[in-house]
Amino acid sequence: MSSSQPGASHFIREIIAADVAAGRCREVVTRFPPEPNGYLHIGHAKAVCLDFGTAREFGGRCHLRMDDTNPTKESMEYVEAIQRDIRWLGFDWGKHFYYSADYFERMYECARQLIRMGKAYVCELSQEEWKEYRGVPTRPGRESPWRNRPVEESLDLFARMRAGEFPDGSLCLRAKIDMASPNLHLRDPVLYRILRVPHYRTGDRWVIYPTYDFAHPLEDAFEGVTHSLCTLEFEVHRPLYDWVVQTLGFDPPPRQYEFARLELTYTVMSKRKLLALVRGGYVAGWDDPRMPTLCGMRRRGYPPEAIRNFCEAVGVTKYESLTEVELLEHHVREVLNRTAQRRMAVLEPLRIELENVPEGDVAWVEAPNNPENPADGMRHVPFGRTLWIERDDFCEDPPADFFRLALGRTVRLRGAGYVTCTGVERGPDGQISGLRGRWAPMTERIKVRATIHWVSAAHAVPIEARLYDRLFNVRDLSALPEDDDPLNHLNPDSLRVVRGWGEPALADTRPGETLQFERVGYFCADERDFRPGALVFNRTVTLKDSPVARAGDRR
Ligand code: ATP
Ligand code: MG
C-alpha cells in the first residue's frame, strides 16, 4: 500500500486499494447505517471512522443512512443526535443523507420482481412451524407446502398483505433459495413480514416491513455503495446479501466486508443495555459523562481527535477482542496535553497563612497558559497572604518517600517562590484546620524536592468538581454468565462531587472547554450546568503520574 495513506494498513484498506488499482471501482462509496434507536457509542465511532475515513482517504464518499426498517424503537430524537455526534467526530456526509424508509416503495417492487422470477413466495406457515421446518445446520430443513404455489397467487397475496387484509404474523414473503443449505440464512429466509406498528417516518402507510437481510443489500445497491463495511456478526448473512443483489441483477453489485466489533473494558456497549442504564436512572441520561456514548464523552471533555486517534490505534481486524479503556484515556491525555490550557484549582482545600506576607497585599504571578504551546500566551494569577493548597500535599508525619509539605519543610509554590511550613492549627475536633508558613521569593533559589499548586483565598472562585470513575467494577462484562445482569456490577463510586477553589480565570471558561487543573487532572466545564455562579467541571481524566491525581476521591 502506498505510504501516502495515513495510518497503518489493514485488510479493508488493502481490499479497497486493490479494487481501485484494478479499476474495479471508479469511486469508492461506503455508508454508515445506524439504526435510530439509541445514541451512538464508542463502538459506532470505530465504524464511523472506518466508513467515513476510508472513503475520504480514497477520494470517495460516505453516505449516512438511517437504517430505519424496524418501526418499533426508532425516533427523530435519535436521528438528530446521530447527525450531531458524527459531525462532532469530524465527518460529513455532504448531500448523501438517506432514510431506508424512503426506499420502501422500491423495495416492494424488488420483492414483486423476485416473485415474478419464481424466486420468492408468500408462505402461510406460522412462526413456530417456520422454525420447525427450517431445521438445524447439520440436517436439511423441510420445504414449505407453499413454496411452489403459482407466481400469480403469491403476487396477489403479497398485494393483499400490503393492503392490510391479513393479521400480523399470519403470512410472510420468503425467498426461494435452498432448504438444505448448511447456512440457515439461505433456507428460504423471510423478506417481508406483516407488522401493524406506526413508523416514525411513514406513519401507518405500511403494514408490511422488509427484514434487515432483504433491505440492507437493496439500500446499498440503490445508492451505488461499493464497499459495505459491517461487523462480524453479519458474516453469515453475506451469502444472502450476495444472493439478493445478484438475483436482482445489480451490476456492479455492492460487496460486504466484515470486521471485529470494538469492545471496551469496564463498560457495556449495546444500545439495549445503555437504554436500561438511562431508563433505570443509573445514569443521568444518554450524555452522562460516564456513558460510553459519544455525547457522554463530549460532555466529559474527550476531544474528538482523541477518539479518532484511538480508533486508528485499535485498528481493523477479523478477531474479536477486548480493548483496554486505558488506551482510550491515553489518547485523551495525549491530545489534551497539547491543547488544554493550564489553571490552578484545589479540590480538597487546606488553608495556609503566610506570616511574612502582609494582609491585603496582592502580587500577580505570570504563568503560561500552556507550556506545550507558547502561542496560548500567559495569564496573571493573583497571590496573597492566605492560600488554599491541596490537603494531600501536606503530611504531618511524612514517610520517607513523601517530599511535599511537612512541618519545618520547604517546597516550591508553582510560579510563586517558596513556602516553609512553620505551624499547624487544629480545630476543636483535633483535626488539622490550617497551616502557617513563611514565604520566600523565587530569587532565593532554595533547593527543594517538590512543587505544589495553590490558589489565593482572597481571589478564589468556588468550583464544583464532578469526579467520574468507571461505571462498572468488572473488567470484561461480556464474560458474565447469562443470568448475571451487568447492573449488579455498577461501581457505587463512579461519581463523587467535591467543592473546591480555583484561580479567578476559571470563571471565564467556556462551557464545553477542557482545562488542565495543574497536578490534578483534566476537567471540562459542563456544557449544561456551567454558568456564572455555578462553575461546574467534569473530570475528563486524571493525570497519569500525579501524586494528587486522585484528589477528592477520598471519602
Ligand atoms: P448495538 O449492538 O450497540 O445496539 P447495533 O449494531 O445494533 O449496535 P447499529 O445502529 O445497527 O447498532 O450500528 C450501526 C453500525 O455501527 C453498524 O454497521 C454496526 O456494525 C456498527 N457497530 C455497532 N456497534 C459496533 C461496535 N461495537 N464496534 C464497531 N462497529 C459497531
Ligand atoms: Mg443493528
Side-chain angles (χ1 to χ4, degrees):
M1 154 147 311
S2 87
S3 57
S4 64
Q5 306 288 340
S9 185
H10 54 66
F11 75 99
I12 293 205
R13 278 197 177 114
E14 278 164 15
I15 288 169
I16 298 181
D19 285 347
V20 170
R24 278 191 293 269
C25 71
R26 257 177 293 126
E27 186 184 13
V28 173
V29 183
T30 60
R31 88 289 170 262
F32 176 66
E35 182 176 358
N37 62 349
Y39 284 67
L40 298 185
H41 51 62
I42 182 77
H44 291 118
K46 174 175 173 177
V48 168
C49 290
L50 183 63
D51 291 326
F52 283 91
T54 32
R56 185 190 280 173
E57 268 170 59
F58 288 95
R61 60 177 205 261
C62 179
H63 297 182
L64 175 57
R65 182 199 307 148
M66 295 300 132
D67 183 7
D68 55 3
T69 55
N70 172 20
T72 49
K73 296 176 198 135
E74 300 164 351
S75 84
M76 276 314 283
E77 175 200 347
Y78 297 133
V79 172
E80 283 156 19
I82 288 168
Q83 294 181 322
R84 196 160 55 235
D85 290 345
I86 295 175
R87 286 215 178 87
W88 174 74
L89 249 195
F91 298 103
D92 189 5
W93 48 91
K95 56 185 193 311
H96 297 283
F97 177 74
Y98 303 102
Y99 292 99
S100 301
D102 290 351
Y103 302 128
F104 280 166
E105 199 63 54
R106 275 174 92 180
M107 291 175 183
Y108 178 78
E109 275 315 313
C110 288
R112 283 170 46 86
Q113 193 180 331
L114 287 179
I115 299 172
R116 283 196 300 266
M117 294 166 78
K119 298 284 188 185
Y121 59 96
V122 170
C123 179
E124 297 178 33
L125 291 181
S126 69
Q127 286 260 9
E128 294 73 47
E129 289 169 323
W130 172 76
K131 273 201 195 116
E132 194 224 301
Y133 274 64
R134 192 172 56 158
V136 292
T138 47
R139 263 177 294 128
R142 278 191 294 148
E143 294 190 350
S144 159
W146 315 103
R147 195 174 202 257
N148 295 312
R149 76 187 332 160
V151 166
E152 286 311 319
E153 199 175 293
S154 278
L155 281 175
D156 175 60
L157 287 170
F158 189 47
R160 288 163 61 196
M161 279 168 64
R162 176 179 181 170
E165 286 188 27
F166 307 106
D168 286 12
S170 56
L171 304 186
C172 65
L173 183 74
R174 294 175 67 180
K176 194 190 288 185
I177 309 182
D178 179 5
M179 288 308 291
S181 171
N183 183 338
L184 290 187
H185 297 285
L186 292 181
R187 293 191 184 175
D188 290 11
V190 175
L191 304 181
Y192 264 91
R193 64 240 195 261
I194 306 175
L195 198 60
R196 278 179 183 72
V197 176
H199 186 281
Y200 77 110
R201 281 185 57 80
T202 56
D204 52 14
R205 228 172 41 243
W206 291 89
V207 295
I208 57 172
Y209 290 97
T211 54
Y212 175 89
D213 281 330
F214 185 51
H216 208 84
L218 289 181
E219 294 152 12
D220 287 345
F222 294 160
E223 292 177 15
V225 166
T226 56
H227 298 82
S228 181
L229 314 177
C230 63
T231 36
L232 278 180
E233 68 270 25
F234 294 106
E235 193 166 22
V236 285
H237 298 244
R238 186 175 359 115
L240 177 52
Y241 180 102
D242 290 340
W243 182 90
V244 170
V245 293
Q246 279 158 17
T247 308
L248 286 164
F250 289 99
D251 186 34
R255 297 283 307 271
Q256 174 183 299
Y257 300 93
E258 308 86 15
F259 60 93
R261 302 175 80 78
L262 173 73
E263 297 290 349
L264 261 195
T265 52
Y266 298 102
T267 195
V268 293
M269 214 94 95
S270 107
K271 282 180 275 191
R272 186 177 53 78
K273 289 176 188 159
L274 296 177
L275 185 62
L277 286 167
V278 174
R279 290 249 167 94
Y282 300 100
V283 293
W286 284 98
D287 68 350
D288 186 297
R290 290 165 291 184
M291 292 281 271
T293 51
L294 295 183
C295 54
M297 291 182 176
R298 173 169 64 231
R299 200 167 164 202
R300 185 151 172 173
Y302 284 18
E305 182 188 355
I307 295 176
R308 292 195 304 268
N309 294 347
F310 165 74
C311 291
E312 185 63 41
V314 166
V316 182
T317 69
K318 280 253 179 204
Y319 310 101
E320 300 285 3
S321 66
L322 185 64
T323 300
E324 304 291 336
V325 68
E326 287 83 356
L327 181 66
L328 176 58
E329 292 170 350
H330 161 80
H331 285 280
V332 170
R333 287 190 188 100
E334 194 269 323
V335 171
L336 290 177
N337 182 46
R338 282 189 277 116
T339 58
Q341 298 216 346
R342 273 50 170 178
R343 298 287 183 267
M344 289 199 283
V346 170
L347 298 191
E348 267 191 290
L350 178 64
R351 196 173 36 80
I352 182 165
E353 282 294 300
L354 306 175
E355 298 159 335
N356 56 338
V357 175
E359 198 96 49
D361 267 20
V362 185
W364 291 87
V365 175
E366 204 180 36
N369 279 321
N370 184 352
E372 302 284 324
N373 183 13
D376 277 347
M378 308 291 282
R379 70 188 193 284
H380 291 94
V381 186
F383 175 83
R385 177 182 169 91
T386 309
L387 305 179
W388 294 115
I389 63 168
E390 208 70 66
R391 190 166 278 272
D392 274 2
D393 279 334
F394 176 79
C395 184
E396 216 178 357
D397 186 14
D401 60 350
F402 185 92
F403 302 118
R404 290 166 281 153
L405 203 57
L407 195 57
R409 191 184 285 176
T410 305
V411 296
R412 189 180 291 109
L413 291 167
R414 176 77 105 213
Y418 303 90
V419 62
T420 306
C421 180
T422 55
V424 173
E425 287 161 12
R426 291 177 190 284
D429 56 356
Q431 295 289 321
I432 297 176
S433 59
L435 304 175
R436 286 188 309 282
R438 285 192 68 76
W439 177 76
M442 203 99 84
T443 47
E444 296 210 355
R445 298 185 169 278
I446 305 171
K447 244 185 118 86
V448 294
R449 299 192 68 174
T451 300
I452 65 171
H453 64 282
W454 50 272
V455 173
S456 164
H459 306 87
V461 291
I463 60 169
E464 175 181 318
R466 298 177 180 166
L467 306 176
Y468 292 105
D469 207 336
R470 290 171 180 145
L471 192 49
F472 293 95
N473 279 325
V474 174
R475 182 175 170 278
D476 182 0
L477 286 147
S478 68
L480 290 181
E482 272 303 310
D483 57 351
D484 191 359
D485 194 314
L487 293 176
N488 298 331
H489 302 281
L490 283 167
N491 172 11
D493 300 321
S494 63
L495 168 59
R496 198 184 332 277
V497 179
V498 297
R499 277 160 231 285
W501 298 100
E503 61 170 273
L506 284 187
D508 303 325
T509 316
R510 276 177 290 110
E513 185 182 3
T514 304
L515 303 168
Q516 185 192 101
F517 290 175
E518 293 198 46
R519 301 182 62 242
V520 179
Y522 293 98
F523 286 76
C524 176
D526 190 74
E527 61 185 24
R528 285 175 190 251
D529 299 340
F530 185 96
R531 58 179 167 272
L535 309 184
V536 177
F537 289 92
N538 300 320
R539 181 167 69 195
T540 308
V541 66
T542 56
L543 294 179
K544 191 122 190 133
D545 299 311
S546 159
V548 291
R550 311 300 297 184
D553 277 347
R554 265 190 337 216
R555 272 200 255 227

